[in-house]
Amino acid sequence: MSVRNVAIIGLGLLGGSIGLAVKEHAPQITTTGYDRDPDVRAKAAELGLAGTICDSAQEAVREADLVVLCVPVGAMEEAARELAGHLKDGAIISDVGSSKQSVAEALTRALPGHTIIPAHPVAGTEQSGPDAGFASLFTNRWCILTPPEGANEAAIASLSEFWSALGANVELMDAEHHDLVLAVTSHIPHLIAFTIVGTASDLEEVTRSEVIKYSAGGFRDFTRIAASDPVMWRDVFLSNKGAVLEMLGRFTEDLTALQRAIRSGDGETLHELFSRTRTIRRAVIEEGQDDDRPDFGREDHL
Ligand code: NAP
């Protein structure tokens, strides 16, 4: 069954982008939207992020055959609880949360007996809020669905069709594996960026103004990631604790090995690693997941 009415709960970067992407790529689908913040609802109405902006979550989901929760991971359970008793029969409940095992558990606790197919579009920016959304956010990005065992096949097919219509490539994955993969491709890189930017701003022998002035040496690329939404990222680390700690253990061992190579003047180890990492960058570009111009196409690159 194709999705005809979608309710978007949470109208920030992800929710707003879904609304705009539906309008652009699948205009036959009607959208309703709700956010708990009245200012966000007003902004969403002004920007046309959904066809109808509702003043309650219950009203937004009443006619929906797909509900997509686009709130921070830590708010998923509360947002889902508000929907209990107001959903249409057979409605698919999904989300866009960055970690999947804990969200699946939260949604199942909040809405037992409903068709729950968690999802994670691996697409985003460091911006948040209703102004940050744009229609092409999901174009040629992956959307990972993590249906629980025995999930309704027709619901999985409808959700896959929905994300494909928004321009995404869809993949199915086990929630536990998703959390491990995303720990290394997204969560740890964010943790490293938060750390390096924090460390640089706490130094005493290098001034803050020097850090900012000479940031084009590499630091500024970390500041983009480290500017990401604090609530969202607090929730990601608290909800994907196991996988993040496991990957962080591996990362710390590798960092220690590099420390040893630098201390002992082992240039061969450094050169071998840096050559391998360069090929990964090439592969990311070949897959169409980034811009191949030097320094991301900035005009003033060094
Ligand atoms: P965002 O721009 O901050 O938007 C989230 C919105 O949800 C805010 O307006 C927030 O309002 C609202 N909200 C919070 N609790 C709510 C509730 N109970 N009911 C209704 N609305 C509620 O965040 P985002 O970047 O779109 O992220 C949303 C989700 O997408 C997160 O789960 C995140 O893990 C996931 N995700 C993000 C990215 C990314 O790059 N940003 C990428 C992929 C997936 P308040 O401000 O009042 O709390």
Side-chain angles (χ1 to χ4, degrees), residues 10 12-14 35-36 70-71 73 79 96-98 120-121 123-125 128-129 232:
L13 169 67
L14 267 288
D35 194 286
R36 69 171 178 188
C70 303
V71 302
V73 169
V96 294
S98 305
H120 176 204
T125 74
S128 53
M232 169 188 157

Side-chain angles (χ1 to χ4, degrees), residues 74 77 92 108-109 111 113 118 140 152 191 193 207 217 228 247 256 261 269 272 293:
E77 186 163 352
I92 303 167
T108 310
R109 271 194 305 272
L111 296 169
N140 197 28
N152 181 314
L191 198 69
T207 65
S228 299
M247 286 298 163
T256 306
T269 296
E272 190 273 326
R293 289 172 298 162

Side-chain angles (χ1 to χ4, degrees), residues 9-16 34-37 40 57 69-76 78-80 82 95-99 103 120-130 132 137-138 190 228-229 231-233 235-236:
I9 307 296
L11 294 166
L13 169 67
L14 267 288
Y34 168 74
D35 194 286
R36 69 171 178 188
D37 182 340
V40 171
L69 294 158
C70 303
V71 302
V73 169
M76 290 285 179
E78 181 200 333
E82 285 190 46
D95 73 298
V96 294
S98 305
S99 61
V103 171
H120 176 204
V122 187
T125 74
E126 69 281 17
Q127 318 245 304
S128 53
L137 180 64
F138 310 109
H190 275 79
S228 299
D229 192 74
V231 171
M232 169 188 157
W233 283 96
D235 287 4
V236 168

